[in-house]
Amino acid sequence: MRGKYLFIFLFLNFNSFFINAQEKVSISLNEIISKVEEYNQTIKISEKDYTIAKAEYNQTNSILLPNVNISHTGISTTNPLMAFGSKLNQEILTQADFNPALLNDPDEIKNFTTKIEVQQPIFNADGIFMRKAAKAKMIAIELQGTRTKEYIQLEVTKAYMQLQVAYKAVEVLEKAKEAALENKKIAENNFLQGYLQKADILLVEVHVNEIINKLQQATSNVKNASDYLWFLMGETNNSTLVPSDMLIAEINLGIYSDELSNTRADIEAMTKSTEAYSNMHKANKASYLPKLNAFGTYELYDDKFLGTNAKGYLIGAQLSWNVFDGFKSIGKTQKSKAELDKAEINLTKYKNQSQLEYNKAKRQLKDVENQLALTSLAVEQSKEALRIRTNRFKQGLEKSSDLLTSETKYLQKELEYLQTVYNYNFTKAYVAFLTK
């Protein structure tokens, strides 16, 4: 049995040594945030979403700017109408061409046409509102990208704190392992002198093994937190990060006086999104109005490729009014109105939900702040109790089971305190995130 525990002990310590032997990189929270802002894939995706929305907005420039097309067409025909028209466009029509025999059965003629077409929107009310909707959507996505960056920063802060706690847990468990091994030696000596039973020794060995297992778990937590931070920085790296910032709980009473702001990026994004729905609804209503567009063409004709022997132009304007399209426009207007109403309800709901979440987070922060003081006191009490029991155990005045209970309680209180420090720091960061 003792050989089995020795094997586990050596294996876990070798594994711990292997991890500790890996390259370590000391880094601060600000350094990580700086790299995350530049290389994080989620942030890059949000930037591309904005690029897409901006491109969609740029497409609406067609509401204001002219549409210009240039084409060159070549034909060869004996079609009576096309042949006569081609000669007319080329300005080569003669009196002989009015001969009925030639009109009905013309010779083959070639015609090359170079055409420049220009279309200029003058008044398209629905297009103007669609352009406004596209701009509101673009701004909304930009604001969402800002909030995404803020969320990733919070996630980085959380992961960095987890790394800090993991390292502190390793330190605590290393000390606990040393103390447990020392007490194990004392217990073995007492056993040899007949003061302890075999069951007591086995109990001590189990306790040591439990601490070693927890130490291994804490070491794995270090590597897991480190890998996640590398991932957030957009890298895959086998090196283990070491936090250069200290793990301390800085009480900030001023944070309780902060209030939720309507200028928070995600709330503003939803406001802009609602504005986009409003403009889409206005665009659908404006589709009932007439549209006015100007157009013009300039044409060059010849019987040779790219020739310019004859030329002509055409300019004009068109006023169009879609009076009835089988309830299609009416249905689109009804749909856009329902979508607008839904967006407005969602905006109100989101604001109320954000306020609810903020109030809850502030209460949680106060609870953790109170717990911080209690766990700190509990650590001191359990530490003193362990010191007394250890001294009595060395003198043979304390049972091994009572000593193990004190050791376990002290270890639990230390780890609980570390977790409370993490909870306070993260909750404080989360409250600050909700007020940005």
Side-chain angles (χ1 to χ4, degrees), residues 107-157:
D107 296 330
E108 180 185 31
I109 186 171
K110 295 181 179 180
N111 183 59
F112 293 91
T113 304
T114 302
K115 180 185 293 186
I116 303 173
E117 297 178 279
V118 179
Q119 295 176 329
Q120 175 63 55
I122 297 177
F123 178 75
N124 294 275
D126 57 341
I128 293 174
F129 285 115
M130 289 179 67
R131 177 176 171 82
K132 291 182 178 180
K135 184 175 182 179
K137 177 184 176 183
M138 177 185 70
I139 297 174
I141 291 179
E142 183 180 22
L143 290 167
Q144 288 174 355
T146 300
R147 192 58 175 172
T148 297
K149 289 182 180 179
E150 293 172 350
Y151 173 76
I152 294 298
Q153 288 177 0
L154 177 66
E155 190 69 11
V156 168
T157 302

Short mmCIF file of all heavy atoms in Angstrom, two decimals, residues 107-157:
data_model
loop_
_atom_site.label_atom_id
_atom_site.label_comp_id
_atom_site.label_asym_id
_atom_site.label_seq_id
_atom_site.Cartn_x
_atom_site.Cartn_y
_atom_site.Cartn_z
N ASP A 107 -29.88 44.42 -98.97
CA ASP A 107 -28.59 43.74 -98.90
C ASP A 107 -28.10 43.70 -97.45
O ASP A 107 -28.57 44.45 -96.59
CB ASP A 107 -27.56 44.47 -99.77
CG ASP A 107 -27.93 44.45 -101.26
OD1 ASP A 107 -28.59 43.46 -101.67
OD2 ASP A 107 -27.59 45.41 -101.96
N GLU A 108 -27.15 42.80 -97.22
CA GLU A 108 -26.60 42.70 -95.85
C GLU A 108 -25.91 44.01 -95.49
O GLU A 108 -25.17 44.60 -96.29
CB GLU A 108 -25.61 41.54 -95.77
CG GLU A 108 -25.00 41.39 -94.38
CD GLU A 108 -23.92 40.32 -94.34
OE1 GLU A 108 -23.23 40.12 -95.38
OE2 GLU A 108 -23.74 39.70 -93.29
N ILE A 109 -26.15 44.46 -94.26
CA ILE A 109 -25.51 45.69 -93.79
C ILE A 109 -24.94 45.45 -92.40
O ILE A 109 -25.50 44.70 -91.59
CB ILE A 109 -26.52 46.87 -93.76
CG1 ILE A 109 -25.78 48.16 -93.40
CG2 ILE A 109 -27.67 46.60 -92.79
CD1 ILE A 109 -26.64 49.40 -93.56
N LYS A 110 -23.81 46.05 -92.15
CA LYS A 110 -23.17 45.96 -90.83
C LYS A 110 -23.34 47.28 -90.09
O LYS A 110 -23.27 48.35 -90.70
CB LYS A 110 -21.69 45.63 -90.99
CG LYS A 110 -21.43 44.25 -91.60
CD LYS A 110 -19.94 43.98 -91.72
CE LYS A 110 -19.68 42.59 -92.31
NZ LYS A 110 -18.25 42.30 -92.45
N ASN A 111 -23.54 47.16 -88.81
CA ASN A 111 -23.71 48.38 -88.01
C ASN A 111 -23.02 48.19 -86.66
O ASN A 111 -23.20 47.17 -85.98
CB ASN A 111 -25.20 48.66 -87.78
CG ASN A 111 -25.41 49.95 -87.02
OD1 ASN A 111 -25.00 51.02 -87.45
ND2 ASN A 111 -26.06 49.86 -85.84
N PHE A 112 -22.21 49.16 -86.29
CA PHE A 112 -21.54 49.18 -85.00
C PHE A 112 -22.02 50.40 -84.23
O PHE A 112 -21.99 51.52 -84.74
CB PHE A 112 -20.01 49.23 -85.17
CG PHE A 112 -19.45 47.98 -85.78
CD1 PHE A 112 -19.31 47.87 -87.17
CD2 PHE A 112 -19.09 46.90 -84.98
CE1 PHE A 112 -18.79 46.72 -87.73
CE2 PHE A 112 -18.57 45.75 -85.57
CZ PHE A 112 -18.43 45.64 -86.92
N THR A 113 -22.45 50.14 -82.95
CA THR A 113 -23.02 51.22 -82.14
C THR A 113 -22.24 51.35 -80.84
O THR A 113 -22.08 50.36 -80.10
CB THR A 113 -24.49 50.92 -81.80
OG1 THR A 113 -25.22 50.71 -83.01
CG2 THR A 113 -25.11 52.07 -81.02
N THR A 114 -21.76 52.54 -80.58
CA THR A 114 -21.16 52.87 -79.29
C THR A 114 -22.17 53.74 -78.54
O THR A 114 -22.56 54.80 -79.04
CB THR A 114 -19.84 53.62 -79.46
OG1 THR A 114 -18.94 52.81 -80.22
CG2 THR A 114 -19.23 53.93 -78.11
N LYS A 115 -22.57 53.28 -77.37
CA LYS A 115 -23.64 53.98 -76.64
C LYS A 115 -23.17 54.33 -75.22
O LYS A 115 -22.61 53.49 -74.51
CB LYS A 115 -24.90 53.12 -76.56
CG LYS A 115 -26.06 53.78 -75.81
CD LYS A 115 -27.24 52.83 -75.65
CE LYS A 115 -27.88 52.52 -76.99
NZ LYS A 115 -29.13 51.71 -76.81
N ILE A 116 -23.39 55.56 -74.82
CA ILE A 116 -23.14 56.03 -73.44
C ILE A 116 -24.49 56.37 -72.82
O ILE A 116 -25.19 57.25 -73.32
CB ILE A 116 -22.21 57.26 -73.42
CG1 ILE A 116 -20.87 56.94 -74.11
CG2 ILE A 116 -21.96 57.71 -72.00
CD1 ILE A 116 -19.97 58.14 -74.27
N GLU A 117 -24.84 55.66 -71.73
CA GLU A 117 -26.13 55.86 -71.08
C GLU A 117 -25.92 56.44 -69.68
O GLU A 117 -25.05 55.97 -68.94
CB GLU A 117 -26.90 54.54 -70.95
CG GLU A 117 -27.26 53.89 -72.28
CD GLU A 117 -27.97 52.57 -72.07
OE1 GLU A 117 -27.28 51.56 -71.82
OE2 GLU A 117 -29.21 52.55 -72.16
N VAL A 118 -26.70 57.43 -69.36
CA VAL A 118 -26.64 58.06 -68.04
C VAL A 118 -28.05 58.11 -67.46
O VAL A 118 -28.98 58.56 -68.13
CB VAL A 118 -26.05 59.49 -68.11
CG1 VAL A 118 -26.03 60.12 -66.72
CG2 VAL A 118 -24.66 59.47 -68.72
N GLN A 119 -28.16 57.61 -66.21
CA GLN A 119 -29.42 57.70 -65.48
C GLN A 119 -29.17 58.44 -64.18
O GLN A 119 -28.28 58.08 -63.42
CB GLN A 119 -29.99 56.31 -65.20
CG GLN A 119 -30.37 55.53 -66.45
CD GLN A 119 -30.83 54.12 -66.14
OE1 GLN A 119 -30.38 53.52 -65.17
NE2 GLN A 119 -31.73 53.58 -66.95
N GLN A 120 -29.95 59.49 -63.93
CA GLN A 120 -29.75 60.34 -62.76
C GLN A 120 -31.02 60.38 -61.92
O GLN A 120 -32.04 60.91 -62.36
CB GLN A 120 -29.37 61.76 -63.17
CG GLN A 120 -29.27 62.74 -62.02
CD GLN A 120 -28.17 62.37 -61.03
OE1 GLN A 120 -27.02 62.21 -61.40
NE2 GLN A 120 -28.53 62.21 -59.76
N PRO A 121 -30.97 59.79 -60.68
CA PRO A 121 -32.13 59.91 -59.80
C PRO A 121 -32.34 61.37 -59.39
O PRO A 121 -31.38 62.08 -59.09
CB PRO A 121 -31.75 59.05 -58.59
CG PRO A 121 -30.62 58.18 -59.05
CD PRO A 121 -29.89 58.98 -60.08
N ILE A 122 -33.58 61.79 -59.40
CA ILE A 122 -33.92 63.16 -58.98
C ILE A 122 -34.72 63.15 -57.68
O ILE A 122 -34.37 63.85 -56.73
CB ILE A 122 -34.69 63.89 -60.09
CG1 ILE A 122 -33.80 64.01 -61.34
CG2 ILE A 122 -35.13 65.27 -59.63
CD1 ILE A 122 -34.49 64.66 -62.52
N PHE A 123 -35.77 62.36 -57.65
CA PHE A 123 -36.58 62.28 -56.43
C PHE A 123 -37.07 60.86 -56.24
O PHE A 123 -37.90 60.36 -57.00
CB PHE A 123 -37.77 63.25 -56.50
CG PHE A 123 -38.66 63.17 -55.28
CD1 PHE A 123 -38.26 63.74 -54.08
CD2 PHE A 123 -39.88 62.51 -55.33
CE1 PHE A 123 -39.07 63.66 -52.95
CE2 PHE A 123 -40.70 62.43 -54.22
CZ PHE A 123 -40.29 63.01 -53.02
N ASN A 124 -36.51 60.18 -55.21
CA ASN A 124 -36.93 58.84 -54.83
C ASN A 124 -37.01 58.82 -53.31
O ASN A 124 -36.03 58.53 -52.62
CB ASN A 124 -35.95 57.78 -55.33
CG ASN A 124 -35.92 57.69 -56.84
OD1 ASN A 124 -36.73 57.01 -57.45
ND2 ASN A 124 -34.97 58.41 -57.45
N ALA A 125 -38.17 59.15 -52.77
CA ALA A 125 -38.32 59.30 -51.33
C ALA A 125 -38.01 58.02 -50.58
O ALA A 125 -37.35 58.04 -49.52
CB ALA A 125 -39.74 59.77 -51.01
N ASP A 126 -38.45 56.88 -51.12
CA ASP A 126 -38.20 55.61 -50.42
C ASP A 126 -36.71 55.30 -50.36
O ASP A 126 -36.20 54.80 -49.35
CB ASP A 126 -38.95 54.48 -51.09
CG ASP A 126 -38.60 54.33 -52.56
OD1 ASP A 126 -38.06 55.29 -53.16
OD2 ASP A 126 -38.85 53.25 -53.14
N GLY A 127 -35.98 55.65 -51.44
CA GLY A 127 -34.54 55.42 -51.45
C GLY A 127 -33.81 56.25 -50.41
O GLY A 127 -32.83 55.79 -49.80
N ILE A 128 -34.27 57.47 -50.18
CA ILE A 128 -33.64 58.33 -49.18
C ILE A 128 -33.77 57.73 -47.79
O ILE A 128 -32.81 57.71 -47.00
CB ILE A 128 -34.28 59.74 -49.24
CG1 ILE A 128 -33.93 60.41 -50.57
CG2 ILE A 128 -33.80 60.59 -48.07
CD1 ILE A 128 -34.63 61.73 -50.79
N PHE A 129 -34.96 57.22 -47.48
CA PHE A 129 -35.15 56.61 -46.16
C PHE A 129 -34.40 55.28 -46.03
O PHE A 129 -33.92 54.94 -44.95
CB PHE A 129 -36.65 56.41 -45.89
CG PHE A 129 -37.37 57.68 -45.56
CD1 PHE A 129 -38.35 58.18 -46.41
CD2 PHE A 129 -37.08 58.39 -44.41
CE1 PHE A 129 -39.02 59.36 -46.12
CE2 PHE A 129 -37.75 59.57 -44.10
CZ PHE A 129 -38.73 60.06 -44.96
N MET A 130 -34.29 54.55 -47.13
CA MET A 130 -33.50 53.31 -47.09
C MET A 130 -32.03 53.62 -46.84
O MET A 130 -31.34 52.87 -46.15
CB MET A 130 -33.68 52.54 -48.40
CG MET A 130 -35.05 51.91 -48.56
SD MET A 130 -35.26 51.03 -50.14
CE MET A 130 -34.11 49.66 -49.89
N ARG A 131 -31.56 54.74 -47.39
CA ARG A 131 -30.18 55.16 -47.14
C ARG A 131 -29.98 55.50 -45.66
O ARG A 131 -28.98 55.13 -45.06
CB ARG A 131 -29.85 56.36 -48.03
CG ARG A 131 -28.45 56.93 -47.81
CD ARG A 131 -28.18 58.06 -48.80
NE ARG A 131 -26.97 58.77 -48.49
CZ ARG A 131 -25.74 58.36 -48.84
NH1 ARG A 131 -25.58 57.24 -49.50
NH2 ARG A 131 -24.68 59.08 -48.53
N LYS A 132 -30.95 56.18 -45.08
CA LYS A 132 -30.88 56.51 -43.65
C LYS A 132 -30.89 55.24 -42.80
O LYS A 132 -30.19 55.15 -41.79
CB LYS A 132 -32.03 57.42 -43.27
CG LYS A 132 -31.94 58.83 -43.84
CD LYS A 132 -33.11 59.68 -43.37
CE LYS A 132 -33.00 61.12 -43.92
NZ LYS A 132 -34.14 61.95 -43.47
N ALA A 133 -31.69 54.27 -43.21
CA ALA A 133 -31.75 53.00 -42.48
C ALA A 133 -30.41 52.27 -42.54
O ALA A 133 -29.95 51.71 -41.54
CB ALA A 133 -32.86 52.12 -43.05
N ALA A 134 -29.79 52.28 -43.71
CA ALA A 134 -28.49 51.61 -43.87
C ALA A 134 -27.42 52.29 -43.02
O ALA A 134 -26.56 51.62 -42.43
CB ALA A 134 -28.07 51.61 -45.34
N LYS A 135 -27.50 53.62 -42.91
CA LYS A 135 -26.53 54.34 -42.09
C LYS A 135 -26.74 54.02 -40.60
O LYS A 135 -25.76 53.81 -39.86
CB LYS A 135 -26.65 55.84 -42.32
CG LYS A 135 -25.60 56.65 -41.57
CD LYS A 135 -25.67 58.13 -41.92
CE LYS A 135 -24.57 58.90 -41.20
NZ LYS A 135 -24.61 60.35 -41.53
N ALA A 136 -28.00 53.99 -40.17
CA ALA A 136 -28.28 53.66 -38.77
C ALA A 136 -27.81 52.24 -38.45
O ALA A 136 -27.25 51.99 -37.37
CB ALA A 136 -29.77 53.80 -38.49
N LYS A 137 -27.99 51.32 -39.39
CA LYS A 137 -27.53 49.94 -39.19
C LYS A 137 -26.01 49.90 -39.09
O LYS A 137 -25.46 49.18 -38.25
CB LYS A 137 -28.01 49.06 -40.35
CG LYS A 137 -27.52 47.63 -40.27
CD LYS A 137 -27.94 46.83 -41.50
CE LYS A 137 -27.35 45.41 -41.47
NZ LYS A 137 -27.71 44.65 -42.69
N MET A 138 -25.34 50.67 -39.94
CA MET A 138 -23.88 50.71 -39.92
C MET A 138 -23.37 51.21 -38.56
O MET A 138 -22.45 50.62 -37.97
CB MET A 138 -23.36 51.60 -41.04
CG MET A 138 -21.85 51.76 -41.08
SD MET A 138 -21.31 52.95 -42.32
CE MET A 138 -21.89 54.50 -41.57
N ILE A 139 -23.98 52.27 -38.05
CA ILE A 139 -23.58 52.81 -36.76
C ILE A 139 -23.87 51.82 -35.64
O ILE A 139 -23.08 51.66 -34.70
CB ILE A 139 -24.29 54.16 -36.50
CG1 ILE A 139 -23.86 55.20 -37.55
CG2 ILE A 139 -23.98 54.67 -35.10
CD1 ILE A 139 -24.60 56.51 -37.47
N ALA A 140 -25.02 51.13 -35.74
CA ALA A 140 -25.39 50.14 -34.73
C ALA A 140 -24.35 49.02 -34.67
O ALA A 140 -23.93 48.59 -33.58
CB ALA A 140 -26.76 49.56 -35.03
N ILE A 141 -23.89 48.55 -35.82
CA ILE A 141 -22.90 47.47 -35.86
C ILE A 141 -21.55 47.97 -35.34
O ILE A 141 -20.81 47.24 -34.66
CB ILE A 141 -22.77 46.91 -37.28
CG1 ILE A 141 -24.06 46.16 -37.64
CG2 ILE A 141 -21.57 46.00 -37.42
CD1 ILE A 141 -24.09 45.59 -39.03
N GLU A 142 -21.23 49.23 -35.62
CA GLU A 142 -20.00 49.81 -35.08
C GLU A 142 -20.05 49.85 -33.55
O GLU A 142 -19.06 49.52 -32.88
CB GLU A 142 -19.78 51.21 -35.64
CG GLU A 142 -18.49 51.86 -35.18
CD GLU A 142 -18.30 53.26 -35.75
OE1 GLU A 142 -19.32 53.88 -36.14
OE2 GLU A 142 -17.16 53.74 -35.79
N LEU A 143 -21.20 50.24 -33.01
CA LEU A 143 -21.37 50.28 -31.55
C LEU A 143 -21.34 48.87 -30.96
O LEU A 143 -20.79 48.65 -29.87
CB LEU A 143 -22.68 50.98 -31.20
CG LEU A 143 -22.72 52.48 -31.48
CD1 LEU A 143 -24.15 53.02 -31.41
CD2 LEU A 143 -21.83 53.23 -30.48
N GLN A 144 -21.91 47.91 -31.67
CA GLN A 144 -21.85 46.53 -31.22
C GLN A 144 -20.41 46.04 -31.17
O GLN A 144 -20.01 45.29 -30.27
CB GLN A 144 -22.68 45.64 -32.15
CG GLN A 144 -24.18 45.81 -32.00
CD GLN A 144 -24.96 45.02 -33.04
OE1 GLN A 144 -24.39 44.42 -33.94
NE2 GLN A 144 -26.27 45.05 -32.93
N GLY A 145 -19.62 46.48 -32.16
CA GLY A 145 -18.21 46.13 -32.16
C GLY A 145 -17.48 46.71 -30.96
O GLY A 145 -16.61 46.07 -30.36
N THR A 146 -17.85 47.95 -30.59
CA THR A 146 -17.26 48.58 -29.40
C THR A 146 -17.60 47.78 -28.15
O THR A 146 -16.74 47.53 -27.30
CB THR A 146 -17.77 50.02 -29.25
OG1 THR A 146 -17.41 50.79 -30.41
CG2 THR A 146 -17.18 50.68 -28.02
N ARG A 147 -18.87 47.35 -28.07
CA ARG A 147 -19.28 46.56 -26.90
C ARG A 147 -18.61 45.19 -26.90
O ARG A 147 -18.28 44.66 -25.83
CB ARG A 147 -20.81 46.39 -26.90
CG ARG A 147 -21.36 45.85 -25.58
CD ARG A 147 -20.98 46.73 -24.42
NE ARG A 147 -21.59 46.31 -23.16
CZ ARG A 147 -21.30 46.84 -21.99
NH1 ARG A 147 -20.37 47.78 -21.91
NH2 ARG A 147 -21.90 46.41 -20.89
N THR A 148 -18.38 44.64 -28.08
CA THR A 148 -17.68 43.36 -28.17
C THR A 148 -16.27 43.49 -27.61
O THR A 148 -15.79 42.62 -26.87
CB THR A 148 -17.62 42.88 -29.63
OG1 THR A 148 -18.96 42.64 -30.10
CG2 THR A 148 -16.82 41.59 -29.75
N LYS A 149 -15.59 44.59 -27.94
CA LYS A 149 -14.25 44.83 -27.40
C LYS A 149 -14.28 44.93 -25.88
O LYS A 149 -13.43 44.38 -25.18
CB LYS A 149 -13.66 46.10 -27.99
CG LYS A 149 -13.27 45.99 -29.46
CD LYS A 149 -12.65 47.30 -29.94
CE LYS A 149 -12.27 47.19 -31.42
NZ LYS A 149 -11.68 48.46 -31.92
N GLU A 150 -15.29 45.64 -25.36
CA GLU A 150 -15.42 45.78 -23.91
C GLU A 150 -15.68 44.43 -23.25
O GLU A 150 -15.14 44.14 -22.17
CB GLU A 150 -16.54 46.77 -23.58
CG GLU A 150 -16.23 48.20 -24.01
CD GLU A 150 -17.42 49.13 -23.85
OE1 GLU A 150 -18.54 48.64 -23.58
OE2 GLU A 150 -17.24 50.35 -23.99
N TYR A 151 -16.50 43.61 -23.89
CA TYR A 151 -16.78 42.28 -23.34
C TYR A 151 -15.53 41.40 -23.36
O TYR A 151 -15.26 40.68 -22.39
CB TYR A 151 -17.91 41.60 -24.12
CG TYR A 151 -18.13 40.17 -23.69
CD1 TYR A 151 -18.79 39.87 -22.50
CD2 TYR A 151 -17.65 39.11 -24.47
CE1 TYR A 151 -18.96 38.56 -22.09
CE2 TYR A 151 -17.83 37.80 -24.06
CZ TYR A 151 -18.49 37.53 -22.88
OH TYR A 151 -18.64 36.23 -22.48
N ILE A 152 -14.79 41.46 -24.45
CA ILE A 152 -13.56 40.66 -24.54
C ILE A 152 -12.56 41.11 -23.47
O ILE A 152 -11.86 40.28 -22.86
CB ILE A 152 -12.94 40.76 -25.94
CG1 ILE A 152 -13.86 40.11 -26.98
CG2 ILE A 152 -11.56 40.10 -25.98
CD1 ILE A 152 -14.09 38.62 -26.77
N GLN A 153 -12.50 42.42 -23.22
CA GLN A 153 -11.63 42.93 -22.16
C GLN A 153 -12.05 42.36 -20.80
O GLN A 153 -11.20 42.00 -19.98
CB GLN A 153 -11.66 44.45 -22.13
CG GLN A 153 -10.94 45.10 -23.29
CD GLN A 153 -11.06 46.62 -23.28
OE1 GLN A 153 -11.70 47.20 -22.39
NE2 GLN A 153 -10.47 47.28 -24.25
N LEU A 154 -13.37 42.30 -20.57
CA LEU A 154 -13.86 41.70 -19.33
C LEU A 154 -13.49 40.23 -19.26
O LEU A 154 -13.09 39.72 -18.20
CB LEU A 154 -15.38 41.87 -19.24
CG LEU A 154 -16.06 41.24 -18.02
CD1 LEU A 154 -15.62 41.95 -16.73
CD2 LEU A 154 -17.58 41.28 -18.15
N GLU A 155 -13.62 39.53 -20.37
CA GLU A 155 -13.27 38.11 -20.41
C GLU A 155 -11.79 37.91 -20.15
O GLU A 155 -11.38 36.95 -19.47
CB GLU A 155 -13.66 37.52 -21.77
CG GLU A 155 -13.58 36.02 -21.87
CD GLU A 155 -14.62 35.30 -21.05
OE1 GLU A 155 -15.57 35.95 -20.55
OE2 GLU A 155 -14.48 34.07 -20.89
N VAL A 156 -10.96 38.81 -20.69
CA VAL A 156 -9.52 38.74 -20.45
C VAL A 156 -9.23 38.97 -18.97
O VAL A 156 -8.42 38.26 -18.35
CB VAL A 156 -8.78 39.78 -21.31
CG1 VAL A 156 -7.34 39.92 -20.86
CG2 VAL A 156 -8.83 39.39 -22.77
N THR A 157 -9.89 39.98 -18.39
CA THR A 157 -9.71 40.26 -16.97
C THR A 157 -10.09 39.06 -16.12
O THR A 157 -9.38 38.69 -15.17
CB THR A 157 -10.56 41.47 -16.56
OG1 THR A 157 -10.20 42.61 -17.36
CG2 THR A 157 -10.36 41.82 -15.10
#
